[in-house]
Amino acid sequence: MNIPRSLYTIFSRHLSSTPNFRKIPSKYRPLAIKEAQQVVTDYLHHTRSIPFTYAEQISKNSLCTLSNLIANVDGAYSVPTFAGSVQRFLRYHPINEFEFFYESIGIDYSEVRGFLPANKFFFSEDGSVLNAACAFSGFGFPWNRLGRLYKEEVSIFGKSTEELTSRLCKIRDRYGFNNVTVVAVCLAFPCVLGGEGELGGEIGALFDDLKMVFVDFDLVSCVEGNVDAFYEICRKIRLFYDLGCEKGKFGDVMGKNKSLFVDYKEEALVQKAEYFCSFGVRKEEVAMLLLQGPDILSFDLDTRVISVEGMLSHFGLSANELKSVAEKYPFVLGKNKMANLPHVMRALNLQEWFFNRISNGNHRLLGNYVLSNPDERLDKEYQDSLERFLSLKLRVHTMNKLEFLHGIGYGENALTIKVLAHVQGTSSELQERFDCLLRNGIEFSKLCRMISLAPKVLKQKPEIIDQKVNFLCEEIGASLDSLDAFPAFLCFDLEHRIKPRYRFHTWLNEKGLCTKDYSIASMVATSEKKFIARIFRIHPAAPKQWLERFMSKRPSSSSRC
C-alpha cells in the first residue's frame, strides 16, 4: 500500500513518541494507522449503522483516539494479520463513539474528555450531535472544523437537522450568499446559528454589514471560491468587531477598504492591531485607524531604530516642547526600537497626542521616518556600559533586563544604565511587577518616573505590591499621587515598618499628644534613631510606648526591602 509522504511524516512523528507503539516497526506504523482507520470506518458503518461518508470522516480525523485503540490491540504486529486483529478487538471491545467524534470535528484531544457525555458511549443513546454534524457537512462545512461551532455555541448541536438546514438556507437566500460564503461566515461567527426565529437584532445587523461587504461591494469576486479563503476573510472582519466596531455601522467603510481584507494576511492585521492598542487608546479608535489607512499594515514597525527626539520632531513637536519633555522625562531620551514606540509615548504621557496625529491623516509619517544618521543621539556612557555588560558572565540576564527597560519606554541613555544597576529579578518578573503596579491604578508615565527615582519598587512581588497600595489608599487614606513624591514607600517593609509607624502616629494624635501632621515619607523613611528622637520630643514617655506596644521585634536593618 502506498502511503503519501505527508501522511507518513505526520504518523511517524506521532507514533514514534508513543512508547506503546514500539511493538510496531517504524516503517510499518503509517500502514498500521491506515489499516486501523479502514477497520474503524467499516465498524462504524456496518456495525453501528453510521453512513459511510461520516464514518470515514470520524475515523480519519481522530488520530490520537485511533492510536490509543491500536495500542490496546493484543499480540505482536504482523502486516498480514494486523487488520484482522483490530477487527477482533472491536468485536469484543466496543469503542466510545463520542471520543472519536469530538476529536474528529477538530477539538483538541487534550480537551475531548471535558466534552464526553456521562455514561454514554454510543450515538444510539444520543444522536443529536452526530445528526447536527451530518447536517452541517451536507451543507458544505468541513467536518474537522465543526469543533469551533461546538465550542462557541454548543446549543447549535441540540437543534434538529431540519432547523439547522432551514436556518442555513434562510441566511443564504436572504442575503444573496452562496453556500461557501455561508459556511465561512458561520465558522467565523458561530453566534449566527445560535439564535431563534428571524435574523434580527445584532445578528441581523451583522449580516447587513456582511452583505454590504461581500455582495454590494463585490468582495466575493476578489476571493478564491473555497471555504478556507472566505473563512480567512471573515476572521479578519471579525477582528474589527472584537475591537469594538458596532455591528450594522461598519459595512460601508469595510467595503470601501476591501483591499485590507484581500491584500494583507490576518497575522499582519493582528500584529498591527496589538501594536496600536499598546498606545492605551480605545480599541474602536484602532479599528478606525486600520480601516481608514490600510497601507499602515505594510509599515515596518518592528525592526527600525528611532531617535525619540527625532520622532517627536518628525511629528511636529516644537523645540520648546522638546526641551520641556527632555527636562521632565530624561530617562526616555535617546534611541529605541520602533517596536517600543507605543510605550515610549506612554512613558512621555504623549500617547493620545501621538495617536491623534496618526489618526488625523498623518499615519504615513510612521512609514517615512528614518534615522538621519547612525550616530544620532548616541550616548557614549550608554555605549560604554553596554560593551561592559556584553563581557560579563551574566550578560544574557542583564541584557534581558535592559530589553525590559527599553520595552517600557526607557531610551539608550546613562539614566537607563543607572536604573538597570538597581532593578532585580528576571525580565518576566519585572514585567509582572510592572503590570501589577499598572493594575493598581498608577499611570504609565508616572510609574516610569517612579522607577527612575526608586528602581527597587520593581523588587516587590505582586501580592506585596497589592497589600502596600491597599494600605496606602484604604487605611492611610492617601491617593496614588502621593507615590509621585515618595515612590520609595513601596520599598519599605509593610508589617515591620509602614504599619507600626503609621499606627503609632495615629495613636499619638488620638491621645492628643501630637498636633503636627507628618508626611508619609517622614513617618516611614526616617531612621530608627531619628524616629525615636522625634517621638521623645513629642512626649518623654512616647518611646516606651513605641517599643512596648508598636515596634516590631524584627531588626530595623530589615525594615527596607
Side-chain angles (χ1 to χ4, degrees):
M1 182 182 297
N2 293 326
I3 308 295
R5 181 167 294 276
S6 59
L7 286 177
Y8 184 91
T9 302
I10 294 172
F11 295 154
S12 299
R13 185 184 303 121
H14 176 77
L15 297 179
S16 62
S17 62
T18 310
N20 291 334
F21 288 96
R22 289 176 182 166
K23 63 183 181 181
I24 303 177
S26 59
K27 67 178 181 178
Y28 293 122
R29 289 172 186 173
L31 176 60
I33 284 284
K34 293 283 286 185
E35 290 185 335
Q37 285 176 332
Q38 187 59 54
V39 171
V40 171
T41 297
D42 292 341
Y43 167 83
L44 292 174
H45 177 53
H46 295 296
T47 305
R48 305 302 307 158
S49 302
I50 296 174
F52 179 82
T53 299
Y54 305 124
E56 187 176 47
Q57 291 282 8
I58 292 172
S59 69
K60 289 190 174 181
N61 289 288
S62 51
L63 183 59
C64 292
T65 311
L66 188 75
S67 299
N68 291 337
L69 168 66
I70 293 174
N72 289 316
V73 174
D74 295 330
Y77 177 79
S78 170
V79 174
T81 62
F82 178 70
S85 298
V86 177
Q87 289 172 341
R88 284 192 298 275
F89 180 84
L90 290 177
R91 195 174 301 146
Y92 300 103
H93 303 87
I95 60 175
N96 185 329
E97 295 168 11
F98 291 98
E99 187 174 4
F100 272 83
F101 170 78
Y102 284 121
E103 185 187 356
S104 76
I105 63 173
I107 295 176
D108 190 271
Y109 181 71
S110 63
E111 301 177 83
V112 165
R113 287 194 175 279
F115 294 100
L116 296 178
N119 303 317
K120 293 179 182 178
F121 289 81
F122 309 113
F123 291 127
S124 58
E125 297 174 285
D126 182 0
S128 58
V129 291
L130 176 63
N131 291 336
C134 293
F136 284 126
S137 181
F139 191 84
F141 283 77
W143 185 273
N144 60 359
R145 296 276 188 88
L146 295 176
R148 178 173 175 80
L149 296 181
Y150 190 89
K151 291 177 71 172
E152 284 206 30
E153 290 286 341
V154 66
S155 63
I156 297 171
F157 284 74
K159 296 178 183 290
S160 69
T161 299
E162 292 74 19
E163 285 181 286
L164 291 174
T165 302
S166 173
R167 191 167 183 85
L168 290 168
C169 291
K170 184 183 293 185
I171 293 171
R172 179 191 63 197
D173 299 337
R174 175 176 296 186
Y175 296 101
F177 298 150
N178 56 32
N179 281 31
V180 171
T181 308
V182 173
V183 169
V185 168
C186 292
L187 287 174
F189 303 94
C191 62
V192 302
L193 292 170
E196 301 290 341
E198 290 301 311
L199 298 169
E202 194 173 81
I203 291 176
L206 169 63
F207 276 118
D208 289 340
D209 278 351
L210 295 175
K211 176 183 181 297
M212 188 173 292
V213 174
F214 281 113
V215 180
D216 298 347
F217 282 95
D218 197 25
L219 181 58
V220 170
S221 66
C222 304
V223 186
E224 292 181 32
N226 60 69
V227 169
D228 287 339
F230 275 95
Y231 177 54
E232 184 179 354
I233 295 291
C234 289
R235 283 176 59 89
K236 296 174 193 175
I237 292 174
R238 175 169 174 165
L239 175 65
F240 287 93
Y241 294 117
D242 291 342
L243 286 172
C245 290
E246 185 179 351
K247 295 178 178 69
K249 299 261 180 95
F250 280 81
D252 183 67
V253 68
M254 287 182 183
K256 290 177 179 176
N257 293 282
K258 60 186 180 183
S259 64
L260 184 150
F261 304 102
V262 176
D263 297 338
Y264 299 98
K265 297 290 186 182
E266 180 186 2
E267 182 182 4
L269 190 55
V270 170
Q271 288 175 346
K272 291 300 190 293
E274 290 176 347
Y275 182 87
F276 289 107
C277 282
S278 296
F279 280 94
V281 297
R282 293 185 301 115
K283 291 182 178 180
E284 305 95 285
E285 295 179 285
V286 173
M288 286 305 301
L289 170 66
L290 297 176
L291 283 169
Q292 294 175 346
D295 54 322
I296 209 168
L297 294 176
S298 62
F299 293 173
D300 176 10
L301 302 180
D302 292 319
T303 61
R304 286 188 292 162
V305 174
I306 66 169
S307 157
V308 174
E309 298 94 313
M311 179 63 77
L312 292 174
S313 178
H314 185 64
F315 270 80
L317 213 61
S318 69
N320 286 336
E321 289 170 323
L322 278 173
K323 182 179 178 182
S324 176
V325 165
E327 290 173 351
K328 191 172 183 179
Y329 305 103
F331 51 88
V332 183
L333 304 181
K335 293 182 181 179
N336 210 320
K337 294 178 181 178
M338 180 72 87
N340 297 328
L341 180 62
H343 287 166
V344 168
M345 291 302 153
R346 292 182 70 183
L348 293 169
N349 200 27
L350 290 174
Q351 66 276 12
E352 291 186 8
W353 166 81
F354 193 85
F355 189 84
N356 287 338
R357 289 282 290 161
I358 297 172
S359 301
N360 294 331
N362 294 299
H363 66 274
R364 289 184 178 84
L365 290 173
L366 270 180
N368 61 31
Y369 169 82
V370 291
L371 199 64
S372 59
N373 68 75
D375 294 330
E376 181 180 348
R377 305 304 304 177
L378 185 66
D379 187 307
K380 190 174 186 308
E381 184 175 345
Y382 175 89
Q383 291 297 325
D384 291 343
S385 299
L386 190 62
E387 291 176 9
R388 188 170 64 254
F389 290 145
L390 292 174
S391 67
L392 299 175
K393 290 183 178 180
L394 296 176
R395 60 183 177 277
V396 174
H397 172 66
T398 303
M399 293 305 295
N400 285 341
K401 291 197 297 181
L402 183 60
E403 283 297 309
F404 160 76
L405 290 175
H406 289 323
I408 63 172
Y410 278 67
E412 295 184 2
N413 57 66
L415 287 175
T416 297
I417 294 299
K418 291 178 181 177
V419 172
L420 177 66
H422 292 93
V423 291
Q424 299 179 25
T426 64
S427 58
S428 59
E429 288 172 337
L430 295 173
Q431 187 66 58
E432 181 183 23
R433 297 162 191 171
F434 185 84
D435 291 342
C436 177
L437 287 161
L438 289 178
R439 286 196 305 273
N440 273 283
I442 302 174
E443 293 179 22
F444 197 103
S445 63
K446 290 182 177 180
L447 178 53
C448 289
R449 191 165 183 275
M450 284 170 51
I451 293 168
S452 72
L453 298 173
K456 289 188 178 180
V457 299
L458 289 181
K459 184 182 177 183
Q460 320 299 305
K461 293 181 179 179
E463 58 270 21
I464 300 300
I465 291 172
D466 291 336
Q467 293 169 13
K468 290 179 180 179
V469 172
N470 183 67
F471 186 82
L472 175 70
C473 298
E474 298 299 324
E475 185 158 345
I476 296 179
S479 72
L480 291 173
D481 291 339
S482 61
L483 294 175
D484 295 348
F486 184 43
F489 172 86
L490 296 172
C491 300
F492 288 93
D493 190 288
L494 180 62
E495 299 298 329
H496 300 89
R497 182 71 166 255
I498 299 173
K499 284 183 177 181
R501 288 203 179 182
Y502 172 74
R503 288 170 178 171
F504 183 65
H505 271 277
T506 301
W507 179 81
L508 288 174
N509 289 331
E510 289 172 350
K511 296 298 182 182
L513 299 175
C514 180
T515 57
K516 180 179 178 180
D517 288 330
Y518 286 93
S519 67
I520 299 172
S522 181
M523 281 187 274
V524 175
T526 304
S527 69
E528 188 69 11
K529 182 178 179 179
K530 290 183 178 179
F531 182 79
I532 295 290
R534 176 204 295 168
I535 62 176
F536 179 80
R537 289 193 300 272
I538 292 174
H539 192 283
K544 184 174 184 296
Q545 292 294 319
W546 163 252
L547 294 171
E548 293 180 355
R549 297 182 55 185
F550 290 89
M551 183 182 176
S552 166
K553 301 303 180 183
R554 184 175 175 179
S556 60
S557 60
S558 302
S559 62
R560 183 163 181 169
C561 299

